[in-house]
Amino acid sequence: MEQYFNCDDDFHSALKEIKSKVGTVPYKEIFRLFLNIRPKIFGECYWQLDEYDEEFSSIMSNHLPETVDFIKNDCTEGDFSWLSEIFDEIVEKTKSKEFVNCIKETAKKFPEECEKYYIIGAIDDAEGYL
C-alpha cells in the first residue's frame, strides 16, 4: 500500500526541502527528488497535485537542457509515466520542439508503459501547445 502524505504540512515540507537544494545539486537529482514524492500525493488531493505540477514543470521548463538530458539518459519507464502528467505544462511554458521530439523518441523506448497509461495522448496534447 502506498504511503501518502498525512497532511498538507508534510507535503509542503517535502517541496520546501527540494526547492532548498535547487542550485546546490545537479538538476537530475532535483528531478529525481520530485519524482520520488509524486507517488505520495493522493490522487484526490487536487490542490497538492496542482502545486506539485506547477513547481516541477517550472523547474523543468527553466532548465530545459538538463530536462532533455535527464529524459534521454536517466528516465525510467515509471519516471516517464509520472512526467507525462506535466508534458503539456512544460511545452506550454517553453514552446520547445526539442522537448517534444525528446519525449516522442523516449516513448519509443517504453511502448508498454505508453500503452498502459496512454502517454502518446499526453504527448499529442503537449504538442498542441507548439
Side-chain angles (χ1 to χ4, degrees):
M1 181 173 181
E2 296 273 348
Q3 178 61 42
Y4 298 113
F5 287 111
N6 289 325
C7 62
D8 285 340
D9 288 343
D10 292 345
F11 167 73
H12 286 110
S13 291
L15 277 184
K16 185 177 178 181
E17 182 179 339
I18 294 169
K19 291 191 304 187
S20 75
K21 294 179 181 192
V22 171
T24 64
V25 299
Y27 279 95
K28 70 179 179 179
E29 289 181 36
I30 299 296
F31 302 155
R32 179 71 48 218
L33 291 169
F34 268 102
L35 288 164
N36 287 341
I37 69 166
R38 174 57 187 89
K40 296 180 180 183
I41 302 171
F42 184 63
E44 293 183 20
C45 289
Y46 301 109
W47 58 96
Q48 288 180 358
L49 288 171
D50 288 346
E51 187 173 349
Y52 171 87
D53 290 354
E54 177 57 33
E55 293 288 343
F56 195 16
S57 66
S58 290
I59 286 177
M60 292 194 104
S61 297
N62 290 330
H63 304 282
L64 201 57
E66 292 89 348
T67 297
V68 169
D69 182 67
F70 177 81
I71 292 172
K72 284 182 178 179
N73 300 308
D74 297 296
C75 195
T76 68
E77 65 183 357
D79 296 338
F80 195 63
S81 180
W82 287 121
L83 286 172
S84 71
E85 295 179 342
I86 61 171
F87 287 165
D88 57 342
E89 292 181 39
I90 294 169
V91 176
E92 183 178 21
K93 290 173 182 173
T94 64
K95 306 294 187 212
S96 173
K97 290 179 184 176
E98 178 188 13
F99 179 77
V100 170
N101 291 335
C102 171
I103 58 178
K104 283 181 173 182
E105 286 301 311
T106 303
K108 293 175 186 175
K109 292 180 0 185
F110 307 123
E112 291 174 13
E113 193 82 357
C114 287
E115 185 176 332
K116 183 177 180 180
Y117 294 108
Y118 194 60
I119 294 172
I120 300 305
I123 293 170
D124 292 342
D125 290 346
E127 191 171 23
Y129 285 96
L130 289 178

